Amino acid sequence: MLIRTLAHLSDLHLDLTRESDATATALVESLLAERVDHVVVTGDLTHQGSRSEYRRFRELFAPLLDAGRLTFIPGNHDRTGEDAGGQWMNGQKVRVEEHEGLFLVCVDSTGPHNRNYFACHGELTRAVLDEVDAALSAAPTGALTAVLLHHHVLPLPEESLPERFATRMGWPHASELALGAELVRRVQGRCDLILHGHRHVPREFDLGPSQGRGLRIYNSGSSIELGRFRLFQHAAGRLVGDPVWQGTALPPVRKRSAPNVMPALQYLASQLTVSLL
């Protein structure tokens, strides 16, 4: 039985600094050294949505991109600034990629509101869920099937002061996708994995079998900040064992809050002004 590998990365936040370049390069070197069959990156490839940041991603990950071994989708950070991620799905909200032993349903969970740097929450509509339904109906039985999206589908703890403040104010910025739980219900028994990012602390849920098929949900966390990624093994359309963490030769990049402070303060000031008026 041929065993293949799938790596899950997310939230690279490439910002053209020496540190993020070095860690991203180390991630690629580790992926190549492990001879990973396919790699998925679930959004926030760039930090400020600039075309220069996106070019840097394509330069650093060229060995995998050129070999057709990498799939990526946009995150909210890819929609700010120059909106580099706005065209990555070619106008589609849902598209399918098939690779050896893999069936990937790629979902764009970003929206026009993500052009605002601080309005980082995602969106799903029932029309998008219907598209996911239709895509899964075409999934072959012998392929590992995964749904990829950026935003979290189930509630997760807030990880920063701005997130806690937004939740306290009743704003949606730190919340899970409003139709996330419905997405989970719809795909149970029809796919094996939901892979996402957005939150920088990795999490996982094992929802157990439904109709004889298990469903696991994994948040990658920020691969740059962690300096590592999850590696899955699969064969004949099913997972083989539990995923393992694969690290790099370089230490992780320490999270820098400075680039986020001014946009966050500007947005908070505008929202407080609206609330007071």
Side-chain angles (χ1 to χ4, degrees):
M1 187 168 55
L2 179 61
I3 296 179
R4 296 185 173 89
T5 51
L6 171 69
H8 178 204
L9 283 69
S10 196
D11 293 73
L12 303 176
H13 290 274
L14 296 180
D15 57 8
L16 307 182
T17 62
R18 184 180 304 170
E19 293 82 5
S20 72
D21 277 8
T23 306
T25 299
L27 286 168
V28 173
E29 290 174 349
S30 182
L31 291 163
L32 294 173
E34 290 295 318
R35 299 183 179 181
V36 175
D37 292 301
H38 202 76
V39 180
V40 297
V41 186
T42 52
D44 282 1
L45 284 60
T46 69
H47 189 58
Q48 298 190 51
S50 74
R51 288 186 285 272
S52 57
E53 290 171 334
Y54 177 49
R55 283 195 298 271
R56 182 62 55 84
F57 164 76
R58 295 197 65 89
E59 291 168 359
L60 296 174
F61 284 80
L64 294 163
L65 286 164
D66 293 346
R69 293 163 55 194
L70 191 146
T71 299
F72 62 91
I73 58 174
N76 54 286
H77 275 262
D78 303 313
R79 301 299 309 275
T80 60
E82 296 172 324
D83 195 11
Q87 301 301 316
W88 294 352
M89 296 282 287
N90 297 320
Q92 299 172 287
K93 293 295 284 185
V94 178
R95 63 177 172 81
V96 168
E97 287 192 17
E98 294 188 64
H99 302 276
E100 290 292 332
L102 278 179
F103 188 86
L104 305 176
V105 181
C106 305
V107 181
D108 182 0
S109 62
T110 70
H113 63 278
N114 290 140
R115 295 303 310 278
N116 183 314
Y117 191 92
F118 195 69
C120 56
H121 56 291
E123 68 171 18
L124 277 180
T125 65
R126 285 192 165 80
V128 170
L129 296 186
D130 291 342
E131 288 188 61
V132 173
D133 277 341
L136 290 176
S137 295
T141 57
L144 186 77
T145 301
V147 173
L148 315 179
L149 70 172
H150 178 64
H151 294 87
H152 50 303
V153 293
L154 297 178
L156 292 175
E158 292 86 10
E159 297 173 357
S160 66
L161 180 60
E163 288 179 352
R164 290 191 288 272
F165 183 81
T167 300
R168 186 70 176 267
M169 294 295 293
W171 300 336
H173 306 79
S175 299
E176 71 278 7
L177 290 162
L179 295 180
E182 182 172 340
L183 171 68
V184 172
R185 287 194 297 272
R186 288 200 190 196
V187 306
Q188 275 191 290
R190 307 173 66 201
C191 81
D192 307 286
L193 295 169
I194 296 176
L195 302 178
H196 69 83
H198 192 49
R199 290 297 180 80
H200 287 198
V201 176
R203 311 276 180 180
E204 61 184 86
F205 298 91
D206 186 346
L207 302 187
S210 174
Q211 303 175 45
R213 191 172 193 171
L215 175 62
R216 299 185 185 186
I217 303 174
Y218 289 94
N219 169 26
S220 167
S222 172
S223 302
I224 287 287
E225 292 176 15
L226 295 168
R228 57 180 181 158
F229 54 86
R230 280 194 185 92
L231 190 61
F232 300 85
Q233 291 187 321
H234 61 98
R238 291 294 181 268
L239 290 170
V240 178
D242 294 322
V244 297
W245 285 103
Q246 180 65 43
T248 69
L250 287 180
V253 171
R254 187 174 63 183
K255 184 175 182 180
R256 298 178 304 280
S257 60
N260 301 311
V261 171
M262 186 53 67
L265 289 177
Q266 290 172 341
Y267 184 82
L268 287 172
S270 67
Q271 291 296 301
L272 286 172
T273 300
V274 171
S275 299
L276 292 173
L277 294 177

